[in-house]
Amino acid sequence: MMQVLSVASECAPLIKTGGLADVVGALPAAMAAEGVQVRTVLPGYPAVMQALTDPTIVLTGQSLGVPFRVLAAQVGDLDLLVLDAPQLFDRAGSIYLGPNGKDWPDNPLRFALLSQVAARIGVGAISDWQPQVIHAHDWQAGLVPEYLHGLGGSGKVGTILTIHNIAFHGLADASLLNMLQLSPARMNRDGFEFWGRISALKAGLIGADRLTTVSPTYAEELMTDAFGMGLDGVMRQRRDVLSGILNGIDEAAWNPATDPTIKPYKTTKGKTANKAALQAEFGLPTSDGPLCVMVSRLTEQKGVDLLLDALPTLLARSGQLIVLGSGATELEEGLRNAARDDHVGVRIGYDEALSHRIIAGGDCILVPSRFEPCGLTQMYGLRYGTIPLVALTGGLADTVINASPAGVLAGVATGIQFNPITADALRSAFTRLCDLYADGPLWARLQKNAMSHPVGWGPSAQAYAALYRDVAPSS
Ligand code: ADP
Ligand code: GLC
């Protein structure tokens, strides 16, 4: 059986700030179906340490001046290797941000250690287990190929880096070269240097055997200056090893027929009771227009400002809005202001169960992102018969089929896309939404199409398995 070490900074259901965790958490089960065993190495944050029962110590040592242990444990269907380094990971609050809302100052060291330890496991540091492939996720695991090279292990194990979001580079000051035990000879344009600083992501982009990202459209976008965030040149250089593999969703956790957090339903008729319950929960009156919902981190990426701008058009057509999210203060503030309208409900915070009730109760789920590597909530929407209204970008372009008149008639359309990504285009999308919603039979057809659209892992798991076989050293 193919053995793979997956390396990431988050993993659902143990520790999550966004879709990265969902994907890292779902990958092992998805890959098991393809005959691949995935073990996941994760930092030992308090939430992770608390979830371990009966761990075994499989490695003890010191790297980058930090003493650590690696604990092996099974949690649900996750086979975990937990990096226990209390000095770096045993702290309360956000996994990335300190109490001042800024990155923990030692983030470069924290995730360099994660990468270093993963590389050591890659060259056989754990006595009874040798992975054939290391699958690194995002900048937090970006230094794996670099450290592997340093350990002389490049031929011993294949490497894949998946880009979940190129906006985060994992930059560190050049003065940290020594502390991170990185070679000064590689601190240049062809190496991991990015405008005078160390870039953990770039190290992975130039060093991994293969690169993937989480949708085919984002793979193309990454090579353009509009989306590459300064790394588009590197992406173009490596276009031969880059591919886009669409995320799936966890179809057990997101199944309207069995979801314990909602009033379960098999057909869209069952949505009525969930909508009424949701309106009641947020104190919204009943209305003739569509109830739009959004569950999201509130950042520039997610286009919340566009939504606030275009909102009056939706409300004028008797539409309603419910948002669950947290993030940037000014966006939270803007949403709270919008919630003064009786037809708008806002909950600032993070709430897994509420996210299910919202997605089940909404008529339409909004994802007006400026860029979106894949996006998961539009896929939850499809599965729950909650029509996605999305910006035409990245994974949103690959998972939703736009309801052009022909598309609806042909029975293939599943949602609404808008382009360019502006408040004006969103306003017209709201108008199209309200027109469609007003046509009962057409809307029902759209919902049916959405619910039967595939959102699972099947083809993507096969694509990853093929890549693993490609990069695994021949034994
Ligand atoms: P990103 O990873 O960029 O945040 P995704 O759409 O890929 O975007 O994934 C976001 C994940 O986080 C989804 O599972 C979504 O339901 C969840 N999520 C985001 N914000 C919240 C929140 N406030 N409460 C509950 N779940 C949330
Ligand atoms: C990132 C992206 C999101 C993607 C997720 C999982 O957080 O912003 O689009 O779905 O990773 O791959």
Side-chain angles (χ1 to χ4, degrees):
M1 201 174 189
M2 169 79 74
Q3 302 292 322
V4 175
L5 179 66
S6 171
V7 190
S9 58
E10 32 185 299
C11 178
L14 299 174
I15 183 83
K16 163 167 164 177
T17 73
L20 169 65
D22 292 294
V23 172
V24 171
L27 203 61
M31 295 317 301
E34 295 301 317
V36 176
Q37 192 197 357
V38 177
R39 302 184 83 177
T40 308
V41 61
L42 266 186
Y45 314 111
V48 173
M49 296 302 287
Q50 279 152 26
L52 307 182
T53 42
D54 241 351
T56 321
I57 303 171
V58 293
L59 185 63
T60 307
Q62 171 151 340
S63 267
L64 313 181
V66 183
F68 71 87
R69 302 186 304 170
V70 175
L71 310 178
Q74 191 78 27
V75 178
D77 57 11
L78 296 170
D79 188 348
L80 296 181
L81 293 168
V82 174
L83 172 57
D84 179 26
Q87 182 187 327
L88 300 185
F89 300 118
D90 184 15
R91 39 184 95 156
S94 153
I95 58 173
Y96 304 126
L97 311 175
N100 60 359
K102 297 211 164 79
D103 285 353
W104 291 109
D106 58 354
N107 273 354
L109 177 61
R110 295 170 80 217
F111 298 107
L113 185 72
L114 177 70
S115 305
Q116 168 72 260
V117 170
R120 283 174 64 170
I121 297 173
V123 296
I126 293 182
S127 56
D128 58 354
W129 190 64
Q130 171 66 51
Q132 291 151 285
V133 176
I134 302 186
H135 187 168
H137 300 270
D138 272 355
W139 74 266
Q140 294 89 346
L143 289 170
V144 167
E146 199 62 32
Y147 286 137
L148 206 52
H149 187 71
L151 293 166
S154 303
K156 243 188 155 173
V157 59
T159 51
I160 294 175
L161 177 75
T162 295
I163 305 156
H164 293 266
N165 196 332
I166 208 162
F168 304 105
H169 289 191
L171 294 177
D173 198 84
S175 63
L176 296 182
L177 267 180
N178 237 339
M179 179 201 242
L180 302 179
Q181 291 174 18
L182 293 168
S183 160
R186 311 264 296 149
M187 187 63 183
N188 52 44
R189 273 186 70 141
D190 297 327
F192 50 70
E193 184 217 14
F194 187 77
W195 298 98
R197 305 176 79 189
I198 302 163
S199 164
L201 182 64
K202 190 179 171 204
L205 296 180
I206 57 173
D209 297 330
R210 294 282 193 288
L211 304 177
T212 73
T213 189
V214 289
S215 70
T217 296
Y218 194 58
E220 291 298 321
E221 289 172 344
L222 283 175
M223 293 185 278
T224 66
D225 68 343
F227 291 94
M229 307 264 177
L231 289 168
D232 43 295
V234 180
M235 298 312 301
R236 285 193 297 274
Q237 248 173 44
R238 300 225 67 203
R239 72 183 320 144
D240 292 346
V241 300
L242 170 67
S243 57
I245 301 178
L246 208 55
N247 289 332
I249 65 167
D250 180 338
E251 291 184 290
W254 291 94
N255 180 354
T258 56
D259 190 333
T261 58
I262 63 164
K263 300 177 203 311
Y265 58 90
K266 288 210 171 78
T267 67
T268 50
K269 285 200 185 70
K271 285 184 69 68
T272 316
N274 284 288
K275 178 173 177 178
L278 184 63
Q279 284 170 320
E281 181 171 356
F282 277 84
L284 264 52
T286 55
S287 180
D288 292 339
L291 171 56
C292 293
V293 298
M294 181 169 181
V295 176
S296 185
R297 292 185 292 120
L298 304 175
T299 65
E300 158 91 12
Q301 174 190 344
K302 300 296 180 176
V304 186
D305 53 322
L306 303 178
L307 167 60
L308 290 170
D309 223 352
L311 183 59
T313 303
L314 175 68
L315 298 179
R317 291 283 303 265
S318 305
Q320 298 182 318
L321 175 69
I322 286 178
V323 180
L324 166 65
S326 66
T329 321
E330 65 281 7
L331 298 173
E332 292 183 350
E333 189 105 352
L335 283 167
R336 282 206 188 92
N337 282 338
R340 292 207 194 110
D341 190 297
D342 290 346
H343 290 272
V344 179
V346 168
R347 185 73 54 86
I348 300 299
Y350 187 93
D351 187 332
E352 195 75 33
L354 179 58
S355 75
H356 284 245
R357 296 198 294 280
I358 288 181
I359 286 168
D363 294 305
C364 168
I365 180 143
L366 306 177
V367 194
S369 308
R370 291 199 162 78
F371 67 94
E372 196 60 77
C374 181
L376 297 175
T377 62
Q378 82 280 9
M379 291 200 267
Y380 303 153
L382 290 170
R383 191 108 204 272
Y384 280 64
T386 309
I387 299 304
L389 188 164
V390 305
L392 184 65
T393 186
L396 303 173
D398 295 333
T399 52
V400 174
I401 301 169
N402 187 37
S404 62
V408 179
L409 284 178
V412 294
T414 57
I416 296 166
Q417 289 169 323
F418 68 95
N419 187 46
I421 306 174
T422 59
D424 262 344
L426 179 54
R427 274 187 273 273
S428 348
F430 277 144
T431 303
R432 283 161 58 208
L433 166 70
C434 294
D435 292 345
L436 278 167
Y437 185 77
D439 185 333
L442 207 58
W443 185 256
R445 181 70 190 269
L446 201 57
Q447 285 180 313
K448 202 165 162 235
N449 295 347
M451 286 181 86
S452 52
H453 190 83
V455 286
W457 274 99
S460 301
Q462 281 170 17
Y464 278 121
L467 265 192
Y468 293 160
R469 283 192 296 271
D470 268 6
V471 301
S474 41
S475 46

